[in-house]
């Protein structure tokens, strides 16, 4: 019965205030403020009464009001492409760790690769007065952010540069990584190499395609139109693209997968074939070491940490021109990229 009575008194959303604490402890608001903020000038007995009232009421200090008076909200926003993509897990965690080191709260959300949703999310964060933003862009026009940046919202882009504005950006070397991966296949005897990538409007997809073409050109190898496919990374589209490249006359003997989602589908497609086909994927994938998948690895955690550290340098007053930081990738050989072409290829 007592529990039911207590439950009936609950009013969700009505949190206890400093005024409630002061009334329960029999002290003034200023005294409660001093105790809450760790200030001097309160006797031990009075501090004990205030702390007992705080504990009894479940009071929590309103940090939002406190930091707003200082002009900072101690929060930053992170806009990801897809929260379900394993690539963004370590990136988000690294950003969160840096934010925590600076006493800031991280708020994140997903654009789902939709430019309008990206803009809505970014502006929603700005409306909540975040101090800074880290954005993995879905769109190609970020002029909508100019008023926010001018108003003091520090902004760093990750994985892809901003469109239409000058802003800090932290990238992986997509061009160099793809060129190295395709050159690796060429070094193992392949001359007909297929490229399956993401949608052509995405910066990383076009940079990796550019790396593919550079490696083929440097080796003096032609590229047939049928060997290149950009588009959705859905399993159906990737399966169709791979089948078309592999089953045509003089089909490809190796595949370069433009990102982790393409690689996963490519592994499934190649597992069902009678003859082995070489594969190199951009981005590591779960169990790649056990499956023997050669990859071009980019360090998502370092991307996130580098971007977050740059953001907080801006918040601390660093005023140099926008930075472009390009992080190296690494070729990890595990077997699939070292397979030779068939003897009759």
């Amino acid at each position: 019965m007592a529990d039911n009575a207590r439950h009936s008194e609950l009013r969700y959303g009505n949190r206890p205030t400093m005024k409630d604490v002061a009334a329960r402890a029999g002290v003034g608001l200023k005294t409660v403020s001093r105790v809450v903020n760790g200030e001097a000038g309160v006797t031990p007995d009075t501090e004990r009464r205030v702390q007992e009232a705080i504990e009894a009421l479940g009071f929590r200090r309103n940090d939002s009001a406190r930091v707003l008076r200082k002009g900072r909200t101690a929060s930053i926003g992170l806009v990801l492409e897809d929260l379900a993509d394993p690539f963004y897990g370590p990136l988000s965690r690294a950003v969160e760790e840096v934010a925590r080191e600076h006493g800031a709260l991280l708020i994140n959300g997903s654009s789902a690769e939709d430019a309008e949703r990206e803009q809505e999310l970014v502006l929603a964060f700005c409306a909540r007065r975040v101090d800074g933003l880290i954005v993995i862009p879905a769109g190609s026009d970020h002029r909508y952010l100019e008023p926010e940046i001018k108003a003091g919202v520090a902004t760093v882009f990750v994985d892809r540069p901003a469109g239409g504005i000058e802003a800090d950006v932290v990238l992986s070397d997509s061009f160099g990584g793809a060129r190295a991966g395709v050159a690796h296949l060429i070094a193992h005897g392949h001359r007909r190499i297929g490229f399956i990538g993401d949608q052509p409007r995405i910066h990383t997809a076009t940079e990796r395609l550019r790396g593919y073409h550079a490696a083929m050109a440097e080796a003096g190898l032609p590229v047939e139109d049928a060997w290149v496919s950009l588009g959705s990374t859905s399993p159906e589209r990737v399966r169709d693209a791979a089948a078309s490249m592999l089953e045509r006359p003089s089909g490809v003997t190796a595949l370069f997968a433009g990102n982790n989602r393409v690689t996963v589908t490519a592994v499934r497609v190649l597992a069902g074939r009678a003859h082995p086909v070489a594969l190199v994927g951009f981005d590591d994938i779960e169990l790649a070491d056990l499956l023997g998948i050669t990859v071009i690895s980019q360090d998502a955690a370092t991307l996130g940490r580098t971007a977050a550290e740059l953001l907080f340098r801006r918040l601390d007053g660093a005023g140099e021109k926008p930075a472009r930081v390009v992080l190296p990738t690494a070729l990890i050989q595990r077997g699939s990229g070292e397979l030779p072409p068939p003897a009759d290829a």
Side-chain angles (χ1 to χ4, degrees):
M1 186 72 176
D3 286 344
N4 289 337
R6 180 175 178 274
H7 183 76
S8 67
E9 295 174 358
L10 292 176
R11 294 294 183 271
Y12 296 108
N14 293 333
R15 298 178 180 178
T17 66
M18 288 177 63
K19 184 177 180 181
D20 297 326
V21 174
R24 186 179 182 96
V27 299
L29 278 174
K30 183 61 178 177
T31 300
V32 176
S33 177
R34 285 174 175 163
V35 172
V36 168
N37 292 299
E39 298 173 1
V42 181
T43 66
D45 182 64
T46 300
E47 181 177 359
R48 177 186 55 77
R49 295 206 319 272
V50 171
Q51 291 290 3
E52 287 175 351
I54 287 171
E55 184 175 346
L57 294 171
F59 171 80
R60 294 292 180 270
R61 182 175 65 183
N62 185 352
D63 281 341
S64 295
R66 181 174 61 92
V67 297
L68 280 171
R69 288 195 296 272
K70 297 181 178 181
R72 293 273 288 268
T73 61
S75 62
I76 63 171
L78 171 62
V79 179
L80 302 166
E81 176 202 345
D82 183 357
L83 290 170
D85 189 328
F87 173 76
Y88 295 116
L91 188 153
S92 177
R93 177 66 179 271
V95 172
E96 185 176 24
E97 288 175 352
V98 175
R100 186 181 180 193
E101 290 166 8
H102 287 80
L105 177 69
L106 176 67
I107 309 168
N108 62 30
S110 170
S111 70
E113 201 63 75
D114 182 290
E116 289 186 7
R117 183 166 170 176
E118 172 209 301
Q119 181 172 342
E120 290 174 2
L121 190 56
V122 165
L123 294 179
F125 284 163
C126 290
R128 285 159 178 76
R129 297 192 64 179
V130 295
D131 298 319
L133 292 164
I134 295 176
V135 181
I136 297 171
S140 58
D141 186 351
H142 294 91
R143 287 174 293 180
Y144 71 86
L145 257 172
E146 284 182 329
E148 308 299 334
I149 293 173
K150 288 178 181 177
V153 180
T155 305
V156 177
F157 289 81
V158 183
D159 194 43
R160 310 163 189 173
I165 63 172
E166 290 189 8
D168 292 317
V169 61
V170 180
L171 308 168
S172 289
D173 186 6
S174 286
F175 168 77
R179 181 172 63 177
V182 175
H184 184 70
L185 290 168
I186 294 169
H188 284 80
H190 296 277
R191 299 295 177 263
R192 303 194 302 273
I193 301 169
F195 178 96
I196 305 177
D198 210 330
Q199 301 183 64
R201 63 181 174 80
I202 297 175
H203 172 79
T204 50
T206 57
E207 282 295 285
R208 291 167 195 175
L209 177 60
R210 194 167 68 87
Y212 163 83
H213 279 294
M216 296 292 278
E218 288 164 5
L221 298 175
V223 175
E224 295 186 11
D225 290 344
W227 297 352
V228 175
S229 178
L230 296 181
S232 162
T233 58
S234 69
E236 296 77 16
R237 204 282 300 182
V238 174
R239 274 199 301 267
D240 290 344
S244 176
M245 293 178 189
L246 293 165
E247 294 170 5
R248 59 186 285 109
S250 299
V252 300
T253 63
L255 289 175
F256 185 86
N259 66 24
N260 55 356
R261 285 164 290 187
V262 175
T263 302
V264 168
T265 301
V267 168
R268 292 189 172 120
V269 170
L270 299 183
R273 297 187 64 83
H275 302 290
V277 175
L279 171 67
V280 173
F282 203 109
D283 291 338
D284 216 342
I285 61 172
E286 190 174 5
L287 302 182
D289 53 339
L290 296 179
L291 296 171
I293 309 302
T294 297
V295 298
I296 300 296
S297 176
Q298 55 177 334
D299 191 337
T302 299
L303 272 173
R305 174 163 285 276
T306 302
E309 289 173 347
L310 177 55
L311 181 75
F312 281 99
R313 284 203 302 276
R314 294 299 189 199
L315 290 172
D316 289 338
E320 66 268 16
K321 67 180 183 179
R324 182 184 180 91
V325 181
V326 180
L327 302 177
T329 57
L331 172 67
I332 302 177
Q333 302 181 42
R334 297 191 179 115
S336 70
E338 295 68 59
L339 294 172
D344 58 350

